[in-house]
Structures are given as structure tokens and as C-alpha cells.
Amino acid sequence: MTKLTFGAHPYLLGFEQLERLVERTAKSGAEGYPPFNIEAVSENAYRITLAVAGFREEDLSITVEDRQLVIRGRQAEDAGDRVYLHRGIAARAFQRSFVLADGVEVGGAGLDHGLLNVDLRRVVPDTVVQTIPIGRGAKEGGRK
């Protein structure tokens, strides 16, 4: 039995990277720390909120790498002068990744009361209608 992939479907032309995108997305959500929310702020705006209690702005980084939003956190090592009887507040490093669709851009980010908010917006392109002339003897690539 042959496995039919997204890129091999006859009606999905030019979507060869779709399967890799789905696999990458599945891998990025494997760990549950830190918890996060995703909300639709409006029709073309979204907000990702991560619970990052104890992290300062300088402990966090936000990058977009190959249509992937990557949020990383790393706290400075404790000086060692504290003696914990119980340590239940996580102080570990993390990385959260979110795959962005074409046309989705990061609008900004802010840290407020232990919550990191990352605002996203979808840039809606103008609709373009293209008329293709039909000629005689069209050759490969549409050239005569």
C-alpha cells in the first residue's frame, strides 16, 4: 500500500512543503512548559500569551526563523545564597515554537505581571485577477 502525502496529491500543486510544516508543528508542541493561550483579538489579529512568572525581559528572546515564531527563556543562575526548603516554582529554560502562516507577522510583544504577550497580525493582500491569454502552440513553461 502506497502512502499518499500532501505534496503528492494531484490537486495540491506547489504545496510540497506542507507535510514538513505539519511535522514541524507537531514536534513544536511536545512539551507543556510554559503554559500558553492563543486568542483571536479580531478577524486579522491574534495574541499568544505565555505564563513566564519569574522571567525578566532580558531573560526572554523572541525570533522568527523560517516562518516559525520561537520564544526562548533562560534565567540567570541563582547566586547560591538562598536555601530552599521547597522549590516549586520552575526556573528552567524553555523554548516554544509556533509556525506562522504566510502573511502573518509579529506586531510586537510585552511583558506584564508575569505574562508575555506576543501580538500577531495577518496582512491581507489585495486580490489580483490575472487574465491568461490563450495562444497557439504553447510550449513547456507557457512560452512559444
Side-chain angles (χ1 to χ4, degrees):
M1 180 174 186
T2 304
K3 178 182 174 186
L4 184 62
T5 62
F6 290 118
H9 194 280
Y11 297 117
L12 296 175
L13 303 175
F15 288 89
E16 291 80 17
Q17 296 180 352
L18 185 59
E19 189 167 12
R20 282 184 292 203
L21 178 68
V22 170
E23 287 175 4
R24 188 169 67 176
T25 303
K27 290 177 186 175
S28 68
E31 188 180 334
Y33 177 77
F36 66 93
N37 293 336
I38 300 176
E39 60 184 300
V41 178
S42 69
E43 184 179 349
N44 292 311
Y46 310 95
R47 174 173 277 181
I48 299 172
T49 302
L50 285 87
V52 292
F55 286 84
R56 298 170 298 170
E57 286 182 37
E58 55 268 18
D59 298 331
L60 301 167
S61 71
I62 302 171
T63 58
V64 177
E65 304 167 8
D66 190 26
R67 305 299 317 150
Q68 189 165 2
L69 171 66
V70 180
I71 303 169
R72 294 180 178 93
R74 177 174 298 277
Q75 291 178 318
E77 292 295 323
D78 196 1
D81 55 348
R82 294 184 180 180
V83 177
Y84 292 97
L85 300 178
H86 172 75
R87 190 166 186 178
I89 298 173
R92 63 182 186 234
F94 71 87
Q95 177 175 313
R96 273 279 185 198
S97 301
F98 302 89
V99 178
L100 303 177
D102 287 337
V104 174
E105 299 175 351
V106 177
L111 184 61
D112 188 33
H113 299 293
L115 298 174
L116 176 65
N117 296 306
V118 180
D119 293 321
L120 307 172
R121 65 178 178 267
R122 180 186 309 275
V123 178
V124 181
D126 295 331
T127 302
V128 176
V129 177
Q130 183 180 7
T131 302
I132 310 299
I134 301 172
R136 295 185 65 199
K139 294 187 179 180
E140 182 180 331
R143 290 179 243 136
K144 291 183 178 183

